[in-house]
Coordinates of all heavy atoms in Angstrom, one line a residue:
M1 N 90.9 120.7 97.0 CA 92.0 119.9 97.3 C 91.9 119.0 98.5 O 91.3 119.6 99.5 CB 93.4 120.7 97.4 CG 94.6 119.7 97.6 SD 96.0 120.8 97.4 CE 97.1 120.0 98.5
A2 N 92.1 117.8 98.6 CA 91.9 116.9 99.7 C 92.9 117.3 100.9 O 93.9 117.8 100.6 CB 92.2 115.4 99.3
E3 N 92.3 117.0 102.1 CA 93.3 117.3 103.2 C 94.4 116.3 103.4 O 94.1 115.1 103.4 CB 92.4 117.3 104.5 CG 93.3 117.8 105.8 CD 92.4 118.0 106.9 OE1 91.2 118.3 106.8 OE2 92.8 117.8 108.0
I4 N 95.6 116.6 103.5 CA 96.7 115.8 103.7 C 96.9 115.5 105.1 O 97.1 116.4 106.0 CB 97.9 116.3 103.0 CG1 97.6 116.6 101.6 CG2 99.2 115.3 103.2 CD1 98.8 117.3 100.8
T5 N 97.1 114.3 105.6 CA 97.5 113.9 106.9 C 98.9 113.6 106.8 O 99.3 112.6 106.2 CB 96.8 112.7 107.4 OG1 95.3 113.0 107.3 CG2 97.1 112.3 108.8
W6 N 99.8 114.3 107.5 CA 101.2 114.2 107.5 C 101.8 113.3 108.7 O 101.2 113.4 109.9 CB 102.0 115.5 107.7 CG 101.7 116.4 106.4 CD1 100.9 117.4 106.2 CD2 102.4 116.3 105.2 NE1 100.9 117.9 105.0 CE2 101.9 117.2 104.3 CE3 103.2 115.4 104.6 CZ2 102.2 117.4 103.0 CZ3 103.7 115.6 103.3 CH2 103.2 116.6 102.5
E7 N 102.6 112.4 108.3 CA 103.4 111.6 109.4 C 104.4 112.5 110.2 O 104.9 113.6 109.7 CB 104.0 110.4 108.8 CG 102.9 109.4 108.1 CD 103.7 108.2 107.6 OE1 104.9 108.1 107.7 OE2 103.0 107.5 107.0
E8 N 105.0 112.0 111.2 CA 106.1 112.7 111.8 C 107.2 112.8 110.9 O 107.5 111.8 110.0 CB 106.4 111.9 113.1 CG 105.5 111.9 114.3 CD 105.3 113.4 114.8 OE1 106.3 114.1 114.9 OE2 104.0 113.7 114.9
P9 N 108.0 113.8 111.0 CA 109.2 113.9 110.1 C 110.2 112.8 110.3 O 110.4 112.2 111.4 CB 109.8 115.2 110.5 CG 108.8 116.0 111.2 CD 107.9 115.1 111.8
Y10 N 110.8 112.3 109.2 CA 111.9 111.5 109.2 C 113.2 112.2 108.9 O 113.3 113.0 107.9 CB 111.8 110.4 108.1 CG 113.0 109.6 107.9 CD1 113.4 108.5 108.9 CD2 114.0 109.8 107.0 CE1 114.5 107.9 108.8 CE2 115.0 109.1 106.8 CZ 115.3 108.0 107.8 OH 116.6 107.3 107.6
C11 N 114.1 112.1 109.9 CA 115.4 112.9 109.8 C 116.6 112.0 109.9 O 116.7 111.3 110.8 CB 115.5 113.9 110.9 SG 114.2 115.2 110.9
A12 N 117.3 111.9 108.9 CA 118.6 111.1 108.9 C 119.7 112.1 109.4 O 119.6 113.4 109.2 CB 119.0 110.6 107.5
E13 N 120.7 111.5 110.0 CA 121.7 112.4 110.7 C 122.4 113.2 109.5 O 123.0 112.6 108.5 CB 122.8 111.4 111.3 CG 123.7 112.2 112.2 CD 124.5 111.3 113.1 OE1 124.0 110.3 113.5 OE2 125.7 111.5 113.0
G14 N 122.5 114.5 109.7 CA 123.2 115.4 108.7 C 122.4 115.6 107.4 O 122.9 116.4 106.5
N15 N 121.1 115.2 107.3 CA 120.4 115.4 106.1 C 119.2 116.2 106.5 O 118.8 116.5 107.6 CB 120.0 114.0 105.5 CG 121.2 113.3 105.1 OD1 122.0 113.8 104.5 ND2 121.2 112.0 105.3
N16 N 118.5 116.7 105.4 CA 117.2 117.4 105.6 C 116.2 116.4 106.1 O 116.1 115.2 105.8 CB 116.6 117.9 104.2 CG 117.5 119.1 103.7 OD1 117.9 119.9 104.5 ND2 117.5 119.2 102.4
C17 N 115.1 116.9 106.7 CA 114.0 116.0 107.3 C 112.9 116.1 106.2 O 112.8 117.1 105.6 CB 113.5 116.6 108.6 SG 114.6 116.5 109.9
F18 N 112.2 115.0 106.0 CA 111.1 115.0 105.1 C 109.9 114.4 105.7 O 110.0 113.7 106.8 CB 111.4 114.3 103.9 CG 111.8 113.0 104.0 CD1 110.8 111.8 103.9 CD2 113.2 112.5 104.3 CE1 111.3 110.5 104.0 CE2 113.6 111.2 104.3 CZ 112.6 110.3 104.2
R19 N 108.8 114.6 105.2 CA 107.4 114.0 105.8 C 106.7 113.3 104.6 O 106.8 113.7 103.6 CB 106.7 115.1 106.3 CG 107.3 115.8 107.5 CD 106.4 116.9 108.0 NE 105.4 116.2 109.0 CZ 104.5 116.9 109.7 NH1 104.5 118.2 109.6 NH2 103.8 116.3 110.5
I20 N 106.1 112.2 105.0 CA 105.2 111.6 104.1 C 103.7 111.9 104.6 O 103.4 111.9 105.8 CB 105.4 110.1 104.2 CG1 106.8 109.7 103.9 CG2 104.3 109.3 103.4 CD1 107.2 110.0 102.4
G21 N 102.9 112.0 103.7 CA 101.4 112.3 104.0 C 100.5 111.5 103.0 O 101.0 111.0 102.0
T22 N 99.3 111.3 103.4 CA 98.3 110.6 102.6 C 97.0 111.5 102.8 O 96.9 112.2 103.6 CB 98.0 109.2 103.1 OG1 97.8 109.1 104.4 CG2 99.3 108.3 102.9
D23 N 96.0 111.3 101.6 CA 94.8 111.9 101.7 C 93.8 110.7 101.7 O 94.1 109.6 101.6 CB 94.5 112.9 100.7 CG 94.6 112.3 99.3 OD1 94.3 111.1 99.1 OD2 94.9 113.2 98.4
S24 N 92.5 111.2 101.9 CA 91.5 110.1 101.9 C 91.2 109.5 100.6 O 90.5 108.5 100.7 CB 90.2 110.9 102.4 OG 89.7 112.0 101.6
D25 N 91.8 110.0 99.5 CA 91.6 109.3 98.3 C 92.6 108.3 98.0 O 92.8 107.8 97.0 CB 91.6 110.4 97.2 CG 90.4 111.3 97.3 OD1 89.3 110.9 97.6 OD2 90.5 112.5 96.7
G26 N 93.6 108.1 98.9 CA 94.7 107.2 98.8 C 96.0 107.8 98.1 O 96.9 106.9 97.8
N27 N 96.0 109.0 97.8 CA 97.2 109.6 97.3 C 98.4 109.8 98.3 O 98.0 110.1 99.5 CB 96.8 110.9 96.6 CG 95.8 110.9 95.6 OD1 96.0 109.9 94.6 ND2 94.9 111.8 95.5
A28 N 99.5 109.6 97.8 CA 100.7 109.7 98.7 C 101.4 111.1 98.4 O 101.4 111.6 97.3 CB 101.6 108.7 98.7
Y29 N 102.0 111.7 99.4 CA 102.8 113.1 99.2 C 104.1 113.0 100.0 O 104.2 112.1 101.0 CB 101.9 114.1 99.9 CG 100.4 114.2 99.3 CD1 99.5 113.5 99.6 CD2 100.4 115.2 98.3 CE1 98.2 113.5 99.1 CE2 99.0 115.2 97.7 CZ 98.0 114.6 98.1 OH 96.8 114.5 97.5
I30 N 105.1 113.7 99.6 CA 106.2 113.9 100.2 C 106.8 115.3 100.2 O 106.5 115.9 99.2 CB 107.3 112.9 99.7 CG1 108.7 112.9 100.5 CG2 107.7 113.2 98.2 CD1 109.8 112.0 100.2
A31 N 107.2 115.8 101.4 CA 107.7 117.2 101.3 C 108.9 117.3 102.4 O 109.0 116.5 103.3 CB 106.6 118.1 101.8
V32 N 109.7 118.3 102.2 CA 110.7 118.5 103.2 C 110.0 119.1 104.4 O 109.0 120.0 104.1 CB 111.7 119.6 102.6 CG1 112.7 120.2 103.7 CG2 112.5 119.0 101.4
A33 N 110.4 118.7 105.5 CA 109.6 119.2 106.8 C 109.8 120.7 106.9 O 110.7 121.3 106.7 CB 110.2 118.5 108.0
G34 N 108.6 121.3 107.1 CA 108.5 122.7 107.2 C 108.0 123.4 106.1 O 107.8 124.5 106.0
Q35 N 108.1 122.6 104.9 CA 107.7 123.1 103.6 C 106.6 122.3 102.9 O 106.7 122.0 101.7 CB 108.9 123.3 102.7 CG 109.9 124.2 103.3 CD 111.2 124.2 102.3 OE1 111.1 124.0 101.2 NE2 112.4 124.6 102.9
E36 N 105.6 121.9 103.8 CA 104.7 121.0 103.3 C 103.8 121.6 102.2 O 103.1 120.8 101.4 CB 103.7 120.5 104.4 CG 104.5 119.4 105.3 CD 105.5 120.2 106.3 OE1 105.5 121.4 106.4 OE2 106.1 119.4 107.1
D37 N 103.7 122.9 102.0 CA 103.0 123.5 101.0 C 103.6 123.2 99.6 O 102.9 123.4 98.5 CB 102.7 124.9 101.1 CG 101.9 125.4 102.3 OD1 101.2 124.6 102.7 OD2 102.0 126.5 102.8
H38 N 104.8 122.8 99.6 CA 105.6 122.5 98.2 C 105.9 121.1 98.3 O 107.0 120.6 98.6 CB 106.8 123.4 98.2 CG 106.6 124.9 98.3 ND1 106.0 125.5 97.3 CD2 106.8 125.7 99.3 CE1 105.8 126.9 97.7 NE2 106.4 126.9 98.9
H39 N 104.8 120.3 98.1 CA 105.1 118.8 98.1 C 105.0 118.2 96.7 O 104.6 118.8 95.7 CB 103.9 118.2 98.9 CG 102.6 118.4 98.5 ND1 101.9 119.6 99.0 CD2 101.8 117.9 97.5 CE1 100.7 119.7 98.4 NE2 100.7 118.6 97.5
V40 N 105.5 116.9 96.7 CA 105.4 116.1 95.5 C 104.4 115.1 95.6 O 104.4 114.5 96.9 CB 106.8 115.4 95.1 CG1 106.7 114.5 94.0 CG2 107.8 116.6 94.9
T41 N 103.5 114.7 94.8 CA 102.6 113.6 95.0 C 102.9 112.6 93.8 O 103.3 112.9 92.7 CB 101.1 114.1 94.9 OG1 100.3 113.1 95.1 CG2 100.8 114.7 93.5
D42 N 102.5 111.3 94.2 CA 102.6 110.2 93.3 C 101.9 109.0 93.8 O 101.2 109.3 94.9 CB 104.1 109.9 93.0 CG 104.3 109.1 91.8 OD1 103.4 108.4 91.3 OD2 105.5 109.3 91.1
S43 N 101.9 107.9 93.3 CA 101.4 106.7 93.9 C 102.1 106.3 95.3 O 103.2 106.7 95.4 CB 101.4 105.5 93.0 OG 102.8 105.1 92.9
R44 N 101.4 105.8 96.1 CA 102.0 105.4 97.4 C 103.1 104.4 97.2 O 104.2 104.5 97.9 CB 100.9 104.7 98.2 CG 101.4 104.3 99.6 CD 100.3 103.7 100.4 NE 99.2 104.4 100.6 CZ 98.7 104.9 101.7 NH1 99.3 104.4 102.8 NH2 97.7 105.7 101.8
E45 N 103.1 103.6 96.2 CA 104.2 102.6 95.9 C 105.5 103.3 95.4 O 106.6 103.1 95.8 CB 103.7 101.6 94.9 CG 104.8 100.4 94.6 CD 105.1 99.6 95.9 OE1 104.3 99.5 96.8 OE2 106.1 99.0 95.9
A46 N 105.3 104.3 94.6 CA 106.4 105.2 94.0 C 107.1 105.8 95.1 O 108.3 105.7 95.2 CB 106.0 106.1 92.9
L47 N 106.3 106.5 96.0 CA 107.0 107.1 97.1 C 107.6 106.2 98.1 O 108.7 106.6 98.7 CB 105.9 108.1 97.8 CG 105.5 109.3 96.9 CD1 104.4 110.2 97.7 CD2 106.6 110.2 96.5
R48 N 107.0 105.0 98.3 CA 107.5 104.2 99.2 C 108.9 103.6 98.8 O 109.8 103.6 99.5 CB 106.6 102.9 99.4 CG 107.1 101.8 100.3 CD 106.0 100.6 100.3 NE 106.5 99.6 101.2 CZ 107.5 98.6 100.8 NH1 108.0 98.7 99.5 NH2 107.8 97.7 101.6
N49 N 109.0 103.3 97.5 CA 110.2 103.0 96.9 C 111.4 104.1 97.0 O 112.5 103.7 97.3 CB 110.2 102.6 95.5 CG 109.3 101.3 95.3 OD1 109.5 100.3 96.2 ND2 108.7 101.0 94.1
L50 N 110.9 105.2 96.9 CA 111.9 106.5 97.0 C 112.3 106.5 98.4 O 113.5 106.6 98.6 CB 111.2 107.7 96.6 CG 112.0 109.0 96.9 CD1 113.2 109.1 96.1 CD2 111.1 110.3 96.6
I51 N 111.4 106.4 99.3 CA 111.9 106.4 100.8 C 112.8 105.2 101.2 O 113.8 105.3 101.9 CB 110.6 106.4 101.7 CG1 109.8 107.6 101.5 CG2 111.1 106.4 103.2 CD1 110.5 109.0 101.5
L52 N 112.5 104.0 100.6 CA 113.4 103.0 100.9 C 114.8 103.2 100.4 O 115.7 102.9 101.0 CB 112.9 101.7 100.4 CG 111.6 101.2 101.0 CD1 111.0 99.9 100.2 CD2 111.9 100.7 102.5
E53 N 114.9 103.8 99.2 CA 116.2 104.2 98.6 C 116.9 105.2 99.5 O 118.1 105.2 99.7 CB 116.0 104.5 97.2 CG 115.6 103.5 96.3 CD 116.6 102.3 96.1 OE1 117.7 102.7 95.7 OE2 116.1 101.3 96.3
I54 N 116.2 106.2 99.9 CA 116.7 107.3 100.7 C 117.3 106.6 102.0 O 118.4 106.9 102.5 CB 115.8 108.4 101.0 CG1 115.5 109.1 99.8 CG2 116.3 109.3 102.1 CD1 114.2 110.1 99.9
K55 N 116.4 105.9 102.7 CA 116.9 105.2 103.9 C 118.0 104.3 103.7 O 118.8 104.3 104.6 CB 115.8 104.5 104.5 CG 114.7 105.4 105.2 CD 113.6 104.6 105.9 CE 112.5 105.5 106.5 NZ 111.4 104.8 107.3
A56 N 118.2 103.8 102.5 CA 119.4 102.9 102.3 C 120.7 103.7 101.9 O 121.7 103.2 101.7 CB 119.0 102.0 101.2
G57 N 120.4 105.0 101.9 CA 121.7 105.9 101.7 C 121.9 106.1 100.1 O 122.9 106.7 99.8
K58 N 121.0 105.6 99.3 CA 121.1 105.8 97.9 C 120.7 107.0 97.3 O 121.2 107.3 96.2 CB 120.5 104.5 97.2 CG 121.0 103.1 97.6 CD 120.3 102.1 96.9 CE 120.7 100.7 97.4 NZ 119.9 99.6 96.8
A59 N 119.9 107.7 98.0 CA 119.3 109.0 97.2 C 119.1 110.0 98.2 O 118.3 110.9 97.9 CB 117.9 108.4 96.7
D60 N 120.0 110.3 99.2 CA 119.7 111.3 100.2 C 120.0 112.6 99.5 O 119.6 113.7 99.9 CB 120.5 111.1 101.4 CG 122.0 111.0 101.3 OD1 122.4 110.9 100.1 OD2 122.7 111.2 102.2
H61 N 120.9 112.6 98.5 CA 121.1 113.9 97.8 C 120.0 114.5 97.0 O 120.1 115.6 96.7 CB 122.3 113.7 96.8 CG 121.9 112.7 95.6 ND1 121.8 111.3 95.8 CD2 121.6 112.9 94.4 CE1 121.7 110.7 94.7 NE2 121.3 111.7 93.8
L62 N 118.9 113.7 96.7 CA 117.7 114.2 96.1 C 117.0 115.2 97.0 O 116.1 116.1 96.5 CB 116.8 113.1 95.8 CG 117.3 112.2 94.7 CD1 116.2 110.9 94.4 CD2 117.6 112.8 93.4
L63 N 117.1 115.1 98.3 CA 116.3 115.9 99.2 C 117.2 117.2 99.6 O 116.8 118.0 100.2 CB 115.9 115.3 100.4 CG 114.7 114.2 100.1 CD1 114.4 113.4 101.2 CD2 113.5 114.6 99.5

């Protein structure tokens, strides 16, 4: 398995914190901060769209 480089956690007020990661193959990952061993992977674009929706307050219940 490729090594994942995690970004700093993103924490919205009153919500769980999550982290985005990438590997050298260009795959993107998302995980709840502190639980990076249990991550979801998809294309970078799919995860980018998910994060934009979360930041817009449309999908914070998913985390």
Side-chain angles (χ1 to χ4, degrees):
M1 184 169 151
E3 184 175 332
I4 302 169
T5 303
W6 294 101
E7 296 179 4
E8 290 297 314
Y10 170 78
C11 302
E13 195 170 317
N15 294 321
N16 288 325
C17 299
F18 62 90
R19 297 180 83 175
I20 300 294
T22 54
D23 65 21
S24 59
D25 294 330
N27 298 313
Y29 303 84
I30 187 170
V32 173
Q35 299 180 24
E36 288 82 0
D37 289 343
H38 303 286
H39 57 266
V40 174
T41 185
D42 205 330
S43 69
R44 185 180 297 245
E45 185 64 23
L47 292 177
R48 180 180 178 280
N49 289 332
L50 174 63
I51 298 307
L52 290 174
E53 294 296 306
I54 292 168
K55 287 183 176 182
K58 297 178 182 177
D60 61 344
H61 63 281
L62 295 175
L63 299 176

